[in-house]
Amino acid sequence: MPADLSPTTVARPATELAVRASGVVKAFGVGDARTVALKGADFSARQGELHLVVGPSGCGKTTLLSVVAGTLDWDEGRVDVFGTSLDGLKRSAITDFRRRNVGFIFQQFNLIPTLNLTENVSVPLLLNGRGRKVAESKAQELLKRVGLGGKETKRPTQLSGGQQQRVAIARALVHEPRLVICDEPTSALDSETGHQIMDLLATAARAPGRCVVIVTHDPRIYGYADRITQMEDGRVRAVLEGEPLQRFVQSTH
Ligand SMILES: Nc1ncnc2c1ncn2[C@@H]1O[C@H](COP(=O)(O)OP(=O)(O)OP(=O)(O)O)[C@@H](O)[C@H]1O
Ligand SMILES: [Mg+2]
């Protein structure tokens, strides 16, 4: 079983690492169809940080974050999240760890079509053993915060792409996970809604002992980053902060 990582039992300074992945290798397929998506990627994100991951399509961003989130097995390398090494854990223990500590917004929103919005957003709380009433009331609060109050009983198929994306964001935040991982959270959103969502994610990121990592192609949100990791061809090419980060953000406007 993984160690208990609830915030009450782990008190760490805000500068400590939330994620440390080193030398991560991941290949898909075999023979002629083999693609090496990660070729020894080194990645870290700090507690209290909003961290962006950028890079060309196909460079391995989703693959890296799926490994860190515990949704994908990897071939080589070490992955450590909030001081717990995922390397030695069985799949079932990783799943348990993920349920308690990680919120994941997928590139495809992965909403459950047969459930209404409140039920979709309640899922992480129910999986963590919370009662249905509490879960639904918290889900409704989150739906309001992402601007979907009044739509609680709709189903995902009755919503626009941007609205579905906001449901996915509410679902990723509802159980207040210590690590939130988002794959393109603003791709389907207009500017104003995108900024509202980024404000919500930045607040979650900067709470003590928490961290938000976002994969994005959207230069409109680069200004929110505390640090930016640039990936290229299965590896991390650079990590930007301070002056170089400011220059990068300005160069994309
Ligand atoms: N399930 C899979 N099976 C086979 N190949 C895969 C799979 N997932 C990813 N790949 C390959 O691994 C490489 C990295 O893919 P990944 O999805 O991580 O890229 P990405 O940086 O997220 O791209 P994008 O910006 O387009 O989302 C690509 O060459 C992709 O084709
Ligand atoms: Mg991707």
Side-chain angles (χ1 to χ4, degrees):
M1 289 294 290
D4 184 355
L5 293 173
S6 63
T8 49
T9 59
V10 182
R12 290 162 188 272
T15 51
E16 265 196 51
L17 291 183
V19 177
R20 186 210 307 264
S22 45
V24 179
V25 174
K26 172 68 184 176
F28 293 103
V30 288
D32 288 348
R34 190 165 190 270
T35 306
V36 186
L38 296 176
K39 302 176 178 172
D42 299 313
F43 171 76
S44 68
R46 297 173 185 147
Q47 296 190 24
E49 169 174 87
L50 191 145
H51 193 119
L52 301 189
V53 178
V54 303
S57 181
C59 72
K61 303 182 297 295
T62 296
T63 306
L64 176 65
L65 291 201
S66 304
V67 167
V68 167
T71 59
L72 184 68
D73 288 325
W74 64 103
D75 302 327
E76 285 173 43
R78 309 203 56 136
V79 181
D80 183 296
V81 181
F82 292 115
T84 287
S85 166
L86 301 192
D87 314 350
L89 295 185
K90 291 198 176 114
R91 177 86 337 242
S92 60
I94 292 182
T95 302
D96 185 52
F97 172 84
R98 185 178 71 238
R99 270 185 196 155
R100 288 186 296 132
N101 294 287
V102 185
F104 200 117
I105 302 166
F106 297 91
Q107 206 163 8
Q108 316 301 330
F109 314 133
N110 288 14
L111 300 173
I112 302 167
T114 51
L115 300 184
N116 72 30
L117 302 197
T118 300
E119 291 161 344
N120 262 285
V121 175
S122 299
V123 167
L125 290 167
L126 297 174
L127 286 174
N128 279 308
R130 305 294 291 272
R132 182 167 298 274
K133 269 218 167 100
V134 173
E136 294 198 342
S137 130
K138 187 92 183 126
Q140 283 161 7
E141 181 193 321
L142 256 291
L143 283 167
K144 279 204 190 77
R145 285 176 65 191
V146 299
L148 293 174
K151 298 206 185 296
E152 294 84 353
T153 56
K154 298 252 189 266
R155 286 174 196 259
T157 48
Q158 298 173 288
L159 303 181
S160 71
Q163 289 169 333
Q164 290 183 37
Q165 190 158 34
R166 282 184 272 159
V167 179
I169 289 160
R171 185 185 54 186
L173 294 175
V174 73
H175 54 313
E176 299 180 15
R178 299 185 69 197
L179 176 64
V180 178
I181 292 197
C182 320
D183 208 345
E184 302 276 359
T186 58
S187 59
L189 304 180
D190 61 72
S191 251
E192 194 188 324
T193 316
H195 284 297
Q196 278 168 14
I197 294 302
M198 286 307 300
D199 286 337
L200 198 62
L201 290 171
T203 304
R206 289 168 193 146
R210 296 182 70 185
C211 175
V212 175
V213 181
I214 300 176
V215 167
T216 188
H217 286 110
D218 184 353
R220 295 175 304 176
I221 70 170
Y222 289 174
Y224 284 88
D226 297 312
R227 291 197 297 158
I228 293 185
T229 287
Q230 293 178 307
M231 287 188 72
E232 193 175 77
D233 192 24
R235 293 188 182 88
V236 167
R237 183 163 69 88
V239 182
L240 305 177
E241 64 182 316
E243 189 63 23
L245 173 64
Q246 299 313 322
R247 277 201 301 277
F248 175 77
V249 172
Q250 277 156 16
S251 72
T252 56
H253 273 78

PDB file of all heavy atoms in Angstrom, residues 44-57:
ATOM      1  N   SER A  44      10.502  18.027 -13.484  1.00  0.00           N
ATOM      2  CA  SER A  44      10.114  18.223 -12.087  1.00  0.00           C
ATOM      3  C   SER A  44       9.176  19.409 -11.949  1.00  0.00           C
ATOM      4  O   SER A  44       9.228  20.353 -12.745  1.00  0.00           O
ATOM      5  CB  SER A  44      11.348  18.411 -11.200  1.00  0.00           C
ATOM      6  OG  SER A  44      11.957  19.634 -11.505  1.00  0.00           O
ATOM      7  N   ALA A  45       8.301  19.346 -10.958  1.00  0.00           N
ATOM      8  CA  ALA A  45       7.389  20.448 -10.659  1.00  0.00           C
ATOM      9  C   ALA A  45       7.387  20.636  -9.150  1.00  0.00           C
ATOM     10  O   ALA A  45       7.426  19.662  -8.397  1.00  0.00           O
ATOM     11  CB  ALA A  45       5.987  20.131 -11.161  1.00  0.00           C
ATOM     12  N   ARG A  46       7.368  21.903  -8.737  1.00  0.00           N
ATOM     13  CA  ARG A  46       7.453  22.207  -7.296  1.00  0.00           C
ATOM     14  C   ARG A  46       6.077  22.322  -6.656  1.00  0.00           C
ATOM     15  O   ARG A  46       5.104  22.658  -7.332  1.00  0.00           O
ATOM     16  CB  ARG A  46       8.167  23.548  -7.104  1.00  0.00           C
ATOM     17  CG  ARG A  46       9.592  23.543  -7.597  1.00  0.00           C
ATOM     18  CD  ARG A  46      10.156  24.955  -7.525  1.00  0.00           C
ATOM     19  NE  ARG A  46      11.485  24.994  -8.114  1.00  0.00           N
ATOM     20  CZ  ARG A  46      11.982  26.047  -8.763  1.00  0.00           C
ATOM     21  NH1 ARG A  46      11.275  27.153  -8.909  1.00  0.00           N
ATOM     22  NH2 ARG A  46      13.193  25.998  -9.266  1.00  0.00           N
ATOM     23  N   GLN A  47       6.041  22.142  -5.374  1.00  0.00           N
ATOM     24  CA  GLN A  47       4.798  22.408  -4.643  1.00  0.00           C
ATOM     25  C   GLN A  47       4.518  23.904  -4.683  1.00  0.00           C
ATOM     26  O   GLN A  47       5.435  24.717  -4.644  1.00  0.00           O
ATOM     27  CB  GLN A  47       4.929  21.929  -3.199  1.00  0.00           C
ATOM     28  CG  GLN A  47       5.121  20.425  -3.128  1.00  0.00           C
ATOM     29  CD  GLN A  47       5.015  19.899  -1.713  1.00  0.00           C
ATOM     30  OE1 GLN A  47       4.402  20.496  -0.854  1.00  0.00           O
ATOM     31  NE2 GLN A  47       5.628  18.744  -1.483  1.00  0.00           N
ATOM     32  N   GLY A  48       3.236  24.254  -4.783  1.00  0.00           N
ATOM     33  CA  GLY A  48       2.843  25.657  -4.818  1.00  0.00           C
ATOM     34  C   GLY A  48       3.042  26.313  -6.169  1.00  0.00           C
ATOM     35  O   GLY A  48       3.002  27.536  -6.284  1.00  0.00           O
ATOM     36  N   GLU A  49       3.218  25.514  -7.206  1.00  0.00           N
ATOM     37  CA  GLU A  49       3.613  26.036  -8.514  1.00  0.00           C
ATOM     38  C   GLU A  49       2.575  25.715  -9.592  1.00  0.00           C
ATOM     39  O   GLU A  49       1.993  24.635  -9.607  1.00  0.00           O
ATOM     40  CB  GLU A  49       4.944  25.372  -8.875  1.00  0.00           C
ATOM     41  CG  GLU A  49       5.407  25.563 -10.297  1.00  0.00           C
ATOM     42  CD  GLU A  49       6.803  25.004 -10.520  1.00  0.00           C
ATOM     43  OE1 GLU A  49       6.943  23.806 -10.827  1.00  0.00           O
ATOM     44  OE2 GLU A  49       7.762  25.781 -10.376  1.00  0.00           O
ATOM     45  N   LEU A  50       2.401  26.685 -10.521  1.00  0.00           N
ATOM     46  CA  LEU A  50       1.647  26.409 -11.745  1.00  0.00           C
ATOM     47  C   LEU A  50       2.691  26.245 -12.848  1.00  0.00           C
ATOM     48  O   LEU A  50       3.432  27.174 -13.159  1.00  0.00           O
ATOM     49  CB  LEU A  50       0.690  27.559 -12.063  1.00  0.00           C
ATOM     50  CG  LEU A  50      -0.317  27.231 -13.164  1.00  0.00           C
ATOM     51  CD1 LEU A  50      -1.648  27.897 -12.881  1.00  0.00           C
ATOM     52  CD2 LEU A  50       0.178  27.649 -14.526  1.00  0.00           C
ATOM     53  N   HIS A  51       2.779  25.048 -13.383  1.00  0.00           N
ATOM     54  CA  HIS A  51       3.874  24.681 -14.276  1.00  0.00           C
ATOM     55  C   HIS A  51       3.298  24.305 -15.646  1.00  0.00           C
ATOM     56  O   HIS A  51       2.440  23.430 -15.737  1.00  0.00           O
ATOM     57  CB  HIS A  51       4.608  23.478 -13.655  1.00  0.00           C
ATOM     58  CG  HIS A  51       5.923  23.184 -14.280  1.00  0.00           C
ATOM     59  ND1 HIS A  51       7.101  23.221 -13.578  1.00  0.00           N
ATOM     60  CD2 HIS A  51       6.251  22.865 -15.556  1.00  0.00           C
ATOM     61  CE1 HIS A  51       8.107  22.936 -14.403  1.00  0.00           C
ATOM     62  NE2 HIS A  51       7.610  22.699 -15.604  1.00  0.00           N
ATOM     63  N   LEU A  52       3.765  24.961 -16.689  1.00  0.00           N
ATOM     64  CA  LEU A  52       3.290  24.637 -18.041  1.00  0.00           C
ATOM     65  C   LEU A  52       4.293  23.752 -18.766  1.00  0.00           C
ATOM     66  O   LEU A  52       5.505  23.913 -18.590  1.00  0.00           O
ATOM     67  CB  LEU A  52       3.077  25.904 -18.871  1.00  0.00           C
ATOM     68  CG  LEU A  52       2.085  26.953 -18.367  1.00  0.00           C
ATOM     69  CD1 LEU A  52       1.870  28.022 -19.441  1.00  0.00           C
ATOM     70  CD2 LEU A  52       0.761  26.334 -17.986  1.00  0.00           C
ATOM     71  N   VAL A  53       3.781  22.847 -19.593  1.00  0.00           N
ATOM     72  CA  VAL A  53       4.624  22.006 -20.443  1.00  0.00           C
ATOM     73  C   VAL A  53       4.237  22.310 -21.885  1.00  0.00           C
ATOM     74  O   VAL A  53       3.061  22.190 -22.255  1.00  0.00           O
ATOM     75  CB  VAL A  53       4.420  20.512 -20.137  1.00  0.00           C
ATOM     76  CG1 VAL A  53       5.263  19.650 -21.065  1.00  0.00           C
ATOM     77  CG2 VAL A  53       4.757  20.209 -18.678  1.00  0.00           C
ATOM     78  N   VAL A  54       5.221  22.731 -22.687  1.00  0.00           N
ATOM     79  CA  VAL A  54       4.944  23.095 -24.076  1.00  0.00           C
ATOM     80  C   VAL A  54       5.870  22.310 -25.006  1.00  0.00           C
ATOM     81  O   VAL A  54       6.888  21.777 -24.568  1.00  0.00           O
ATOM     82  CB  VAL A  54       5.130  24.623 -24.317  1.00  0.00           C
ATOM     83  CG1 VAL A  54       4.245  25.432 -23.379  1.00  0.00           C
ATOM     84  CG2 VAL A  54       6.583  25.040 -24.159  1.00  0.00           C
ATOM     85  N   GLY A  55       5.508  22.283 -26.298  1.00  0.00           N
ATOM     86  CA  GLY A  55       6.353  21.596 -27.278  1.00  0.00           C
ATOM     87  C   GLY A  55       5.507  21.164 -28.453  1.00  0.00           C
ATOM     88  O   GLY A  55       4.283  21.099 -28.352  1.00  0.00           O
ATOM     89  N   PRO A  56       6.161  20.840 -29.571  1.00  0.00           N
ATOM     90  CA  PRO A  56       5.422  20.507 -30.789  1.00  0.00           C
ATOM     91  C   PRO A  56       4.542  19.265 -30.638  1.00  0.00           C
ATOM     92  O   PRO A  56       4.820  18.412 -29.789  1.00  0.00           O
ATOM     93  CB  PRO A  56       6.522  20.245 -31.834  1.00  0.00           C
ATOM     94  CG  PRO A  56       7.821  20.441 -31.160  1.00  0.00           C
ATOM     95  CD  PRO A  56       7.606  20.790 -29.727  1.00  0.00           C
ATOM     96  N   SER A  57       3.520  19.169 -31.460  1.00  0.00           N
ATOM     97  CA  SER A  57       2.636  18.015 -31.452  1.00  0.00           C
ATOM     98  C   SER A  57       3.452  16.731 -31.639  1.00  0.00           C
ATOM     99  O   SER A  57       4.349  16.674 -32.479  1.00  0.00           O
ATOM    100  CB  SER A  57       1.627  18.167 -32.603  1.00  0.00           C
ATOM    101  OG  SER A  57       0.766  17.065 -32.592  1.00  0.00           O
TER     102      SER A  57
END
